[in-house]
């Protein structure tokens, strides 16, 4: 077997330690180390340094891998949380849309009728709203429904117990009740339909044309003269 010099062995030691030399070269280096105390000492030192470096690199790799795994776990949990929140939001939105989202209830679908001076309905509805007007004795009303209520059966419900008084008004003597058409509901709710004035007389006079317009575009539900 050919012999190699110490200088060549020192150059080959890193490759020998890393195990990347050919089988023949490994045999030459090993043979030289076994017979050369100086190169063997150098080999042991380099081997210890290499082992230490490998351990540190392995430790760093473990830290990096752990961080990557933690990030993946965090993203996974965030994805689960976001998905859960979306599902809850969709569920709540659906629940609100089905049970609580109000829509105008057309007069033909209200089932309103008057019985013994009581305003009643045999249809299901969500809410009833009343507006007094500048004209004494006149009450304007409308009702709302939801998807749930529109598919719900209902027994007789008394909406107004006594026409001698009306909900949300100080008017002591209601003489006629009108059901408002949808196009006028928004204006009445915002309080922008009737124009305010100084005295009660001026208030009624200034809004007389609007009262007549509203009556014309509403449905008479009940009148004391009927």
């Amino acid at each position: 077997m050919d012999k190699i010099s110490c200088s060549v062995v020192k150059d080959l030691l890193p490759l020998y330690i890393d195990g990347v030399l050919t089988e023949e070269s490994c045999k030459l280096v090993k043979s030289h180390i076994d017979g050369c105390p100086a190169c063997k000492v150098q080999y042991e030192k380099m081997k210890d340094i290499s082992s230490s470096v490998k351990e540190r690199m392995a430790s760093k790799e473990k830290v990096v891998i752990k961080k990557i795994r933690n990030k993946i776990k965090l993203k996974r949990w965030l994805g689960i949380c976001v998905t859960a929140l979306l599902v809850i939001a969709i569920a709540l939105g659906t629940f609100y849309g089905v049970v609580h989202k109000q829509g105008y209830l057309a007069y033909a679908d209200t089932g309103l009728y008057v019985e013994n001076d009581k305003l009643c309905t045999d249809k299901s509805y969500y809410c009833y709203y009343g507006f007094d007007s500048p004209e004494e004795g006149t009450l304007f009303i409308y009702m709302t429904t939801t998807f749930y209520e529109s598919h719900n059966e209902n027994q007789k419900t008394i909406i107004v117990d006594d026409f001698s008084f009306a909900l949300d008004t100080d008017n002591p003597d209601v003489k006629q009740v009108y059901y408002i058409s949808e196009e006028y509901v928004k204006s009445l709710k915002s309080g922008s339909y009737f124009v305010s004035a100084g005295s009660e007389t001026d208030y009624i006079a200034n809004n007389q044309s609007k009262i007549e317009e509203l009556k014309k575009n509403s449905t008479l539900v009940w009148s004391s003269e009927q």
Side-chain angles (χ1 to χ4, degrees):
M1 183 179 290
D2 297 334
K3 292 184 179 181
I4 55 177
S5 65
C6 289
S7 60
V8 173
V9 169
K10 288 179 181 179
D11 290 338
L12 294 176
L13 278 177
L15 301 176
Y16 176 74
I17 292 170
D18 289 340
V20 295
L21 290 178
T22 63
E23 184 178 353
E24 185 178 352
S25 297
C26 282
K27 289 179 180 180
L28 287 172
V29 173
K30 186 177 186 307
S31 176
H32 180 90
I33 291 172
D34 289 343
C36 179
C39 287
K40 188 170 185 178
V41 170
Q42 183 68 22
Y43 164 69
E44 295 294 340
K45 288 181 179 180
M46 291 184 69
K47 187 174 68 170
D48 290 342
I49 293 172
S50 178
S51 298
S52 177
V53 170
K54 287 180 179 179
E55 287 177 2
R56 287 199 297 269
M57 289 181 66
S59 178
K60 288 182 180 180
E61 286 179 357
K62 288 181 181 179
V63 172
V64 171
I65 292 172
K66 186 176 181 180
K67 286 182 178 179
I68 293 173
R69 287 177 177 172
N70 287 339
K71 286 183 178 179
I72 293 173
K73 286 181 181 179
L74 179 60
K75 287 183 178 180
R76 187 178 298 166
W77 277 109
L78 285 174
I80 293 172
C81 290
V82 169
T83 302
L85 289 173
L86 286 174
V87 171
I88 292 172
I90 292 171
L92 289 175
T94 302
F95 177 78
Y96 172 79
V98 170
V99 180
H100 293 293
K101 187 177 181 181
Q102 300 181 54
Y104 175 84
L105 187 60
Y107 177 71
D109 299 321
T110 61
L112 289 174
Y113 63 93
V114 176
E115 184 179 86
N116 299 324
D117 281 347
K118 292 179 174 61
L119 183 59
C120 308
T121 181
D122 54 6
K123 298 290 183 68
S124 182
Y125 69 99
Y126 184 80
C127 199
Y128 156 83
Y129 298 91
F131 302 93
D132 62 335
S133 76
E135 182 177 79
E136 184 178 349
T138 301
L139 176 67
F140 293 98
I141 67 169
Y142 80 98
M143 296 161 67
T144 61
T145 188
T146 62
F147 179 85
Y148 171 78
E149 291 297 346
S150 65
H151 293 77
N152 188 28
E153 295 183 359
N154 189 39
Q155 297 180 348
K156 175 181 175 181
T157 301
I158 299 175
I159 298 178
V160 177
D161 289 330
D162 189 345
F163 284 120
S164 64
F165 95 103
L167 190 66
D168 295 333
T169 178
D170 295 327
N171 188 350
D173 188 16
V174 177
K175 298 176 181 178
Q176 51 192 358
V177 179
Y178 286 86
Y179 196 88
I180 313 163
S181 60
E182 186 174 8
E183 62 181 306
Y184 288 93
V185 169
K186 187 175 181 180
S187 296
L188 282 170
K189 286 178 68 177
S190 66
S192 63
Y193 187 72
F194 294 118
V195 181
S196 61
S199 66
E200 186 70 19
T201 303
D202 291 338
Y203 182 46
I204 296 173
N206 290 344
N207 289 286
Q208 193 60 50
S209 60
K210 287 196 172 185
I211 295 170
E212 297 305 321
E213 177 189 4
L214 192 57
K215 285 182 179 179
K216 184 179 179 180
N217 291 280
S218 301
T219 302
L220 180 62
V221 178
W222 174 86
S223 172
S224 59
E225 297 177 359
Q226 290 178 338

